[in-house]
Amino acid sequence: MSNKSSNQMWGGRFASGPDAIMEAINASIGFDQRLAEQDIRGSRAHAAMLAAQGIITDNEAAAIREGLLTVLSEIQSGNFEFSAALEDIHMNVEARLKDIVGEPAGRLHTARSRNDQVATDFRLWVRDQFDAFETGLLALINALLVQAEQGADWVMPGFTHLQTAQPVTWGHHMMAYVEMLGRDLSRVRDARARMNECPLGSAALAGTSFPIDRHMTAADLGFACPTANSLDAVSDRDFALEFLSVASICAMHLSRFAEELVIWSSAQFRFVTLSDRFSTGSSIMPQKKNPDAAELIRAKVGRIFGANVALMMVMKGLPLAYSKDMQEDKEQVFDAADNLMLALAAMEGMVKDMSANVDNLAAAAGSGFSTATDLADWLVRAINMPFRDAHHVTGSLVALAEKQGCDLADLSLADMQTVHTSITDDVYSVLTVDNSVKSRVSYGGTAPAQVLVQIQRWKDVLK
């Protein structure tokens, strides 16, 4: 499309069209065409409201609304020709609408600005992403619940500093991620509720003198209410920042799990077997089965974190109200949303398909003196030893076992009594990993009975 056409859209303010550099830096149609459906939905609601208020005629509104459906159909079918000269999705749609319906198209922009238009479109798009985000989280949480229930009593090592700490259960470990993702779910729902206000009708920054009904358009578009301050409405991008913030925290959780899956699937651990669907081979080493999906999820965090920081930097120095800087908001959010949804779907697939190697988990659970804390607790309970003294005695017993090249349970009672004479053979009852996990019956503990309580609690929550 010619620069002359672009100038006509501007209303004749400039004597000549922008040169190629200005057009390139100014145009957003290359990415904001993703807002087409939201833009047309907002415009149809605006036209209906204008007619209801007597600002345009019913016939004009009908022509506009039908014409917009034609434009949407062309876009969805891939038959729409986007023009960089028309800058953005709003002007591309309006220009095509004029081709279709003629003079009524010029009345559509009454009582609004591109400022409140784009704020509305973007909110609608982000709201849809929050809904998709929630769906993805729920699917992954349910996949984890299946794994947790299946392995509620499978013992495995629990780690701190990636060193064997105490035995836990597979179900308990899976439920730790359910809790993380549950907080993500809460943040998604909270942020979605907070953003659900409609900017349409705020116009450029000061509202409008036309007798519009902002409550009508807000309701039509599924918003809880209109925004209460026109200056804030057109310059606010908190909803996008909250999306990126919530996405960043969730991506961090996914990355932590991905890191564990990379470690667990290695030849050194062999805790899990990942399915072929989410692994790849090596071009040179035929024995390799690489956890590429997990590694890529781990890497996606960088893009999502980066988008969050980038938009923060865009917004941090802007005075009220709208500035063109804010055109840089969408690509960051689009990219983060795409990668987050891909990461959630890939993680769900891996969790559904992965198999725990139960024997390897159990063997590892008993290594590294993992029941040492149980021994210290026994000394406190059985012979009324102060915990700090029990800690010291247990450390001495661990040193003795290390010297003999055996585990705590393999020490003889006589050997143990050389460290403390009050130790009895009842101590062996706490030195097995199965008894260790069964004893952790405090609320939220790793005992299988407690794990099943938490699984049921989440099932009830998700109903």
Side-chain angles (χ1 to χ4, degrees), residues 1 72 200 210 325 356 415 417:
M1 186 167 290
L72 179 61
L200 194 58
F210 289 95
D325 311 50
D415 286 338
Q417 288 175 341

Side-chain angles (χ1 to χ4, degrees), residues 177 180 247-258 301 305:
Y177 284 100
M180 292 185 210
S248 294
I249 296 172
C250 179
M252 176 269 293
H253 290 152
L254 297 179
S255 181
R256 293 183 72 179
F257 196 16
V301 176
F305 281 11

Side-chain angles (χ1 to χ4, degrees), residues 85-210:
L86 289 172
E87 296 184 18
D88 56 33
I89 186 61
H90 323 297
M91 293 174 75
N92 269 264
V93 168
E94 188 175 330
R96 179 61 183 138
L97 180 65
K98 185 175 181 180
D99 292 341
I100 296 169
V101 305
E103 190 269 341
R107 300 187 182 279
L108 172 60
H109 210 53
T110 306
R112 76 173 184 186
S113 162
R114 282 195 299 176
N115 294 355
D116 62 333
Q117 189 178 357
V118 69
T120 303
D121 294 357
F122 200 22
R123 276 189 191 243
L124 288 169
W125 193 90
V126 171
R127 192 177 67 183
D128 289 343
Q129 294 307 301
F130 270 125
D131 292 341
F133 195 168
E134 177 172 345
T135 299
L137 282 170
L138 289 170
L140 178 51
I141 287 171
N142 279 302
L144 286 164
L145 288 173
V146 170
Q147 283 282 357
E149 191 163 24
Q150 184 180 18
D153 60 354
W154 297 344
V155 291
M156 65 177 290
F159 299 94
T160 62
H161 309 279
L162 204 56
Q163 305 293 314
T164 299
Q166 294 175 253
V168 295
T169 52
W170 173 264
H172 195 53
H173 203 111
M174 295 299 105
M175 291 305 293
Y177 284 100
V178 170
E179 292 294 328
M180 292 185 210
L181 296 168
R183 293 192 293 275
D184 293 327
L185 182 63
S186 175
R187 279 184 281 268
V188 165
R189 290 171 173 173
D190 180 56
R192 190 198 187 282
R194 186 164 34 255
M195 71 159 290
N196 200 30
E197 299 179 351
C198 184
L200 194 58
S202 297
L205 74 163
T208 178
S209 58
F210 289 95

Side-chain angles (χ1 to χ4, degrees), residues 123 197-200 202 214 225-230 232-233:
R123 276 189 191 243
E197 299 179 351
C198 184
L200 194 58
S202 297
R214 293 191 62 208
C225 60
T227 52
N229 184 285
S230 59
D232 176 58

Side-chain angles (χ1 to χ4, degrees), residues 316-336:
K316 75 173 184 64
L318 298 185
L320 297 180
Y322 180 83
S323 298
K324 193 72 169 182
D325 311 50
M326 291 163 69
Q327 183 168 289
E328 292 296 310
D329 56 2
K330 295 167 201 66
E331 286 180 285
Q332 306 296 338
V333 178
F334 291 162
D335 185 74

Side-chain angles (χ1 to χ4, degrees), residues 376 379-380 385-395:
L379 291 169
V380 172
M385 186 180 293
F387 182 80
R388 286 302 171 201
D389 294 344
H391 188 282
H392 178 76
V393 169
T394 301

